[in-house]
Amino acid sequence: LKEKKQFHPKRTKRMDELANLLQEKFPYVKFSIYPTNWIGNLSNHVYQTNNIIVEIDVDVLDAAFYFLQENFSNTFLSPDQEMYDYYISAQEENIIVTRLHFDAPLYKVNDNYYTPKLEKLIVDLLINDPVILPISYSEMNTIIMNAIDMYSINFSTLARYAKKRNSQKRLNKLHLIGGTKL
């Protein structure tokens, strides 16, 4: 058995800047922030786009979006594929605000600031709604298989979150059973 490392990528300056703003404005609301290059780094391709995903409690989703949009003009609320294609610039670091799903697997950074665990990123990439990265199904499989080959994955956490997000069938298509690829 080969030794796999834990998934703990470094936070960026922009992530911490956004976290500070959100903690000041919404001190009691749980949120998660991550850059899409955490996922893109697992790809065989180089992506021009680097977005920052801000997931926040659904009760304050609109308020958080408008607050961030006042500070950063390139902020988008849960874009679908068409909106992504037409309005999101590949040359900028865009901010995508979307809802944080209850009981998502997260690492606590401080207070109400969290970052996602790899199991959450895998399931969210499978669903890709709102659009996190504009990628094909085969590229999504490549990213997920690279993640599983490189990092230690808790498959019970992965299965539980996939069930919660109604994506068990998509996860099963990858033939991941008991932590092994078939």
Side-chain angles (χ1 to χ4, degrees):
L1 296 174
K2 76 176 188 179
E3 187 74 23
K4 294 183 182 181
K5 55 187 174 181
Q6 294 293 318
F7 180 77
H8 287 293
K10 294 191 183 281
R11 295 187 327 266
T12 65
K13 193 174 188 179
R14 175 61 69 100
M15 287 172 61
D16 290 339
E17 178 187 352
L18 289 169
N20 289 335
L21 286 171
L22 289 170
Q23 284 177 324
E24 285 178 27
K25 183 72 173 178
F26 307 102
Y28 302 109
V29 178
K30 185 176 182 178
F31 62 88
S32 170
I33 302 175
Y34 67 95
T36 55
N37 69 1
W38 285 4
I39 299 168
N41 289 341
L42 297 169
S43 174
N44 292 337
H45 298 90
V46 176
Y47 291 101
Q48 299 294 328
T49 307
N50 182 32
N51 299 320
I52 293 184
I53 309 298
V54 176
E55 298 174 317
I56 195 159
D57 188 29
V58 71
D59 294 339
V60 295
L61 183 62
D62 289 338
F65 165 68
Y66 290 117
F67 171 70
L68 289 173
Q69 195 176 45
E70 287 175 9
N71 295 289
F72 308 97
S73 62
N74 55 331
T75 302
F76 302 90
L77 180 62
S78 302
D80 59 12
Q81 188 65 51
E82 185 177 357
M83 181 184 211
Y84 197 97
D85 292 343
Y86 286 118
Y87 299 108
I88 295 183
S89 170
Q91 288 76 31
E92 293 183 49
E93 187 175 58
N94 304 288
I95 300 167
I96 297 175
V97 182
T98 186
R99 76 177 278 214
L100 178 63
H101 290 274
F102 178 74
D103 205 23
L106 302 169
Y107 293 114
K108 186 171 187 169
V109 176
N110 63 38
D111 299 328
N112 53 339
Y113 174 23
Y114 293 79
T115 58
K117 291 184 177 183
L118 185 56
E119 294 84 357
K120 179 189 180 318
L121 292 177
I122 289 171
V123 172
D124 288 351
L125 186 61
L126 275 173
I127 297 166
N128 210 18
D129 182 30
V131 176
I132 296 170
L133 279 176
I135 59 174
S136 68
Y137 184 77
S138 62
E139 185 61 20
M140 181 186 332
N141 286 343
T142 300
I143 290 170
I144 292 169
M145 292 307 159
N146 286 342
I148 290 168
D149 287 343
M150 292 173 60
Y151 296 104
S152 177
I153 304 278
N154 184 330
F155 285 91
S156 62
T157 300
L158 183 68
R160 180 188 55 78
Y161 188 61
K163 184 176 182 182
K164 188 166 215 47
R165 297 288 315 268
N166 294 321
S167 62
Q168 309 95 310
K169 289 181 183 175
R170 292 180 187 175
L171 189 61
N172 290 339
K173 283 183 182 177
L174 296 176
H175 305 294
L176 300 174
I177 300 173
T180 58
K181 292 184 285 183
L182 300 177

